[in-house]
Amino acid sequence: MKLAIVGTGAMGKVLRQYAEEEGTFDTIFFIEPTEENTWPSDKPDLLIDFSNPGAINSIYNFCRRQGGGFAVVLATTGYGPQEWEIIKLIQKICPLVQKNNFSRGVEVMNRLAEQGAQLLGDTADIRVLEAHHTKKRDAPSGTAKTLCSCLGIPEEEYPEKTAVLRMGTVPGEHTVYFAMEDEVLEITHRAFSKKIFAIGALAAGKELLGI
């Protein structure tokens, strides 16, 4: 089976190393979205994108050239309205999953945040704090935005309800605060390596493939 990884940065390299160790795919190749000569002529079974939002046009064009029919995992954040329209076009020809964070722990955190908002929303001030490495471009992070959505916070209130830190090489840290009178409940997730995102993205792709 063939795995195409869009993005040759740190996260793409972590994904490739994990995929080689995991063993499902016997052919693994990188695609640098800005370089046309890196897009293969043959069709992969699975494409995972860990690059940047601007790559979505090239991904769509590749899917269309290949006639679709392979699985697509989008693990990039920071999409705008135009990019989401292109993602909808990809979904018409390829099975696709997109998440702002493929960590299993974050998936559980989203559910806990939703439950917390349901139980405490009328009695608590709810805030989100997120921290990432200095090279992360989008702020707040896609994961923080997903948490806000789970908490029922409208998009226009994100700036006043979220706090953002960019420092060092932090892979990712998110905390939801429920501040009440004389007590505070915190839900925190810390990523200690990028591998957790590779594990989740590859598992999502295999699920799309039914393996």
Side-chain angles (χ1 to χ4, degrees), residues 95-148:
L96 180 150
V97 62
Q98 189 279 333
K99 289 183 181 179
N100 289 326
N101 192 313
F102 278 91
S103 157
R104 290 172 292 179
V106 167
E107 185 173 351
V108 173
M109 183 181 186
N110 289 335
R111 297 180 186 179
L112 293 174
E114 185 174 6
Q115 292 178 356
Q118 291 172 353
L119 295 170
L120 301 172
D122 293 336
T123 61
D125 292 325
I126 302 175
R127 300 291 185 272
V128 176
L129 170 66
E130 62 103 339
H132 282 88
H133 53 86
T134 55
K135 294 182 180 180
K136 185 168 179 60
R137 298 176 183 177
D138 56 319
S141 68
T143 303
K145 291 178 179 179
T146 299
L147 282 168
C148 285

Side-chain angles (χ1 to χ4, degrees), residues 156-197:
E156 61 270 17
E157 294 182 15
Y158 288 178
E160 64 182 87
K161 300 287 186 177
T162 61
V164 175
L165 294 174
R166 294 289 176 265
M167 55 187 185
T169 57
V170 177
E173 182 174 323
H174 296 82
T175 300
V176 175
Y177 296 91
F178 298 91
M180 299 160 281
E181 186 174 356
D182 297 329
E183 59 180 327
V184 177
L185 171 65
E186 299 178 19
I187 305 173
T188 297
H189 177 271
R190 294 185 181 92
F192 294 104
S193 78
K194 296 179 183 294
K195 187 176 181 180
I196 62 171
F197 309 120

Side-chain angles (χ1 to χ4, degrees), residues 4 44-48 63 68-73 94-97 204-209:
D45 297 285
L46 171 63
L47 180 148
I48 300 179
C63 293
F70 56 90
V72 175
V73 173
C94 292
L96 180 150
V97 62
K206 290 172 64 176
E207 185 174 348
L208 286 178
L209 292 171

